[in-house]
Amino acid sequence: GAVVSQHPSRVICKSGTSVKIECRSLDFQATTMFWYRQFPKQSLMLMATSNEGSKATYEQGVEKDKFLINHASLTLSTLTVTSAHPEDSSFYICSAKGLYNEQFFGPGTRLTVL
Amino acid sequence: GDSVTQMEGPVTLSEEAFLTINCTYTATGYPSLFWYVQYPGEGLQLLLKATKADDKGSNKGFEATYRKETTSFHLEKGSVQVSDSAVYFCALLNQAGTALIFGKGTTLSVSS
């Protein structure tokens, strides 16, 4: 089946630093990937849609200069949280769009900003 | 706009009990419907899906039927196990196929 990986699975960083999270589709090509944020005991909030070779589409209220997304290849999208602050601490989940519009989710990345 | 409403949890059951988690939706057209499961500390896994009215999705003993007339996609399982303890999310794919809209999630806790 379609497998999506994320790296790292957990990261702790100091306030003011930048953190990059990778999302890879391991056995299929994904022209579209999605980035979600999940707060404790809450649902997933779509942050942005990442399209290979073009600029990401951000949802309303999501700062594109804060959350940089790059989809450089058909199997890799990256999310960089720039100048991270404690309020950016969250669980970030990516998904990759399959052939029939289904989404395959990565295992998530737990970001803690001190 | 499109939306998904799930019953609020937590749902607490004993092993082998019958499970129903209600899900209703509001959407343009006839969206594909999904149930995802999230185990503690993990990402989401697709549990089952249905792409058109009257379709029944099933997997691992879980079932859900796409009911157009009631705009519902309730999740059921005849006999839950402790290992089913997780958060369950109902979701729909918007008509353009560009976004998954999630419900708020329902926490299921099964005790032995």
Side-chain angles (χ1 to χ4, degrees):
Chain A
V3 179
V4 175
S5 70
Q6 280 184 243
H7 178 80
S9 58
R10 185 180 292 268
V11 56
I12 301 172
C13 68
K14 291 183 178 179
S15 186
T17 61
S18 295
V19 175
K20 180 186 283 188
I21 302 169
E22 295 184 348
C23 176
R24 292 182 186 273
S25 55
L26 297 185
D27 49 3
F28 67 105
Q29 294 182 331
T31 55
T32 302
M33 291 184 174
F34 302 89
W35 286 97
Y36 296 84
R37 183 172 180 177
Q38 186 181 32
F39 292 100
K41 298 185 179 181
Q42 293 191 25
S43 190
L44 281 73
M45 181 191 78
L46 179 64
M47 298 174 66
T49 302
S50 169
N51 296 298
E52 187 268 337
S54 63
K55 290 184 178 180
T57 303
Y58 290 82
E59 295 300 300
Q60 193 171 11
V62 178
E63 299 176 60
K64 61 181 181 182
D65 295 330
K66 173 78 170 174
F67 299 99
L68 300 179
I69 291 172
N70 184 25
H71 195 153
S73 78
L74 288 172
T75 60
L76 173 64
S77 175
T78 60
L79 168 68
T80 301
V81 183
T82 62
S83 186
H85 291 281
E87 58 266 30
D88 298 325
S89 298
S90 194
F91 195 52
Y92 292 88
I93 303 175
C94 74
S95 69
K97 190 175 179 180
L99 200 58
Y100 301 103
N101 283 336
E102 70 274 54
Q103 290 186 28
F104 301 98
F105 285 82
T109 296
R110 172 75 59 194
L111 170 63
T112 303
V113 185
L114 302 177
Chain B
D2 296 349
S3 67
V4 175
T5 303
Q6 281 180 245
M7 63 185 286
E8 293 204 14
V11 174
T12 304
L13 296 173
S14 298
E15 208 165 21
E16 298 183 3
F18 184 86
L19 168 71
T20 300
I21 300 178
N22 290 339
C23 171
T24 57
Y25 67 90
T26 302
T28 304
Y30 303 105
S32 294
L33 302 173
F34 306 83
W35 276 100
Y36 285 88
V37 58
Q38 184 178 33
Y39 297 100
E42 298 183 13
L44 270 68
Q45 299 176 27
L46 177 64
L47 181 60
L48 54 85
K49 68 178 182 181
T51 57
K52 60 183 188 296
D54 299 326
D55 264 2
K56 177 186 283 189
S58 61
N59 185 26
K60 299 180 181 179
F62 290 90
E63 291 183 341
T65 301
Y66 191 143
R67 301 283 188 202
K68 182 180 64 175
E69 59 277 10
T70 54
T71 61
S72 66
F73 193 54
H74 304 322
L75 182 68
E76 296 181 337
K77 186 174 185 182
S79 176
V80 293
Q81 304 300 312
V82 173
S83 57
D84 294 327
S85 299
V87 182
Y88 291 82
F89 292 94
C90 185
L92 68 82
L93 185 66
N94 67 359
Q95 193 169 30
T98 56
L100 268 176
I101 310 298
F102 287 89
K104 291 187 175 181
T106 302
T107 300
L108 170 65
S109 178
V110 181
S111 58
S112 58

